[in-house]
Amino acid sequence: MNPLAVGLVGAGPWAALVHAPVLAAGPETQLVAVWARRSEAAEELARRHDAVACPSFDALVERCEAVAFSVPPDVQAELATRAARAGRPVLLEKPIAGSLDAARRLVDAIDAAAVGSLVVLTGRFAPAVREFVDAASALDATGGRSWFLSGAFLSGPFSQSPWRHERGALLDVGPHALDLITAALGPGRVADATSSGGGFVAITLAHDDGAVSQVSLCSTLGLTDTRSGAEVYAAHGILAVDVQAAIGPHTFANLRREFATVARVGASHACDAHRGLEIQELLDAAERLVARAT
């Protein structure tokens, strides 16, 4: 089977670090086109990976079989909806939209077009994380916790990102931690959420099966490395995973291969747009509680 021809929307740090090289590496996919609001950045990224820089989003959609996104959530929701309506499978960043209503409209468009979708919840494609989720799901767990802590807003490639500073760690890295703990302990609701003046967010989840968990998020800590992971507690002991240590070459190979499969057959996936919507609902509830507390 020929590689899936993918167009990339966005040419910022994450697109350059992950999306472009992963999609260009193949063999399941081929990066054929790039479009970004900054044309010079799109041209440079496209040149680096033997792709074409397109003059418009519509031109990119016409040139490819599927569309990958690495843009702010509000922009992604609008453009991905258009891509889905044009019959293109979509590779989405998290969160899938800037608001719950926009996320619902995007998922409705994907469903109406019957196209495949996948959300880049990076850790979920790492073999060790998948083993943790499978093992945790089989436990009679009473509780757990997950965390995503870094200094990413202070320095580095994402420190100048306007939407990240505006919406904070909750919208940026919250999807990873919320996804992991609800994959391990099952669905739940946000029972409480609050934030410190320094950007530390604490969330309490009440899971449908009776377990309770806590989620800790911050991107303004004086850390030299990123720390993300989860623990699940049961009568016989603790099950834990270090997500940062688990992410490696196999992670992105799995992501690429599974997106190509989803795009070709339109099948559901544990990390598809419906999962993205479930996470968006938790984010929306947590954001409302944080706003009320402040």
Side-chain angles (χ1 to χ4, degrees), residues 16-281:
L17 289 169
V18 174
H19 288 74
V22 168
L23 294 169
E28 301 89 355
T29 61
Q30 178 185 6
L31 182 64
V32 297
V34 179
W35 176 79
R37 290 172 292 182
R38 295 183 299 118
S39 59
E40 67 280 3
E43 290 167 2
E44 168 59 25
L45 188 58
R47 183 164 48 248
R48 203 181 309 162
H49 296 284
D50 297 322
V52 173
C54 292
S56 68
F57 174 71
D58 289 335
L60 177 136
V61 171
E62 290 178 5
R63 198 176 190 95
C64 66
E65 297 176 84
V67 184
F69 293 87
S70 184
V71 290
D74 286 325
V75 178
Q76 173 173 267
E78 176 189 350
L79 296 180
T81 297
R82 289 168 55 186
R85 288 172 177 165
R88 303 298 189 268
V90 290
L91 181 65
L92 303 168
E93 264 303 326
K94 50 75 212 163
I96 64 171
S99 70
L100 183 55
D101 285 345
R104 287 170 174 159
R105 288 193 296 269
L106 172 55
V107 172
D108 285 346
I110 290 169
D111 287 347
V115 296
S117 64
L118 200 62
V119 182
V120 184
L121 295 162
T122 314
R124 292 288 297 281
F125 297 89
V129 175
R130 289 180 163 177
E131 291 172 6
F132 165 80
V133 169
D134 288 344
S137 301
L139 291 178
D140 185 16
T142 58
R145 68 186 184 104
S146 63
W147 58 91
F148 203 118
L149 308 168
S150 77
F153 288 4
L154 302 178
S155 63
F158 308 110
S159 61
Q160 302 303 311
S161 171
W163 80 263
R164 288 181 170 89
H165 283 282
E166 178 185 352
R167 304 298 291 273
L170 176 57
L171 264 286
D172 182 24
V173 298
H176 291 301
L178 289 166
D179 168 69
L180 183 55
I181 199 64
T182 54
L185 294 178
R189 62 176 179 85
V190 176
D192 192 23
T194 190
S195 175
S196 73
F200 194 103
V201 180
I203 303 169
T204 300
L205 295 175
H207 297 266
D208 293 355
D209 287 345
V212 176
S213 67
Q214 296 174 317
V215 177
S216 300
L217 310 166
C218 194
S219 298
T220 54
L221 298 177
L223 299 176
T224 58
D225 58 346
T226 296
R227 302 178 187 180
S228 62
E231 293 179 341
V232 169
Y233 311 121
H236 74 280
I238 299 174
L239 189 65
V241 65
D242 182 335
V243 175
Q244 286 304 117
I247 293 174
H250 290 305
T251 305
F252 297 105
N254 286 340
L255 171 64
R256 180 179 57 242
R257 181 175 59 253
E258 290 170 30
F259 177 58
T261 300
V262 164
R264 295 287 194 197
V265 303
S268 61
H269 189 282
C271 295
D272 64 11
H274 284 272
R275 179 58 171 167
L277 179 56
E278 292 171 359
I279 300 304
Q280 195 90 39
E281 290 169 346

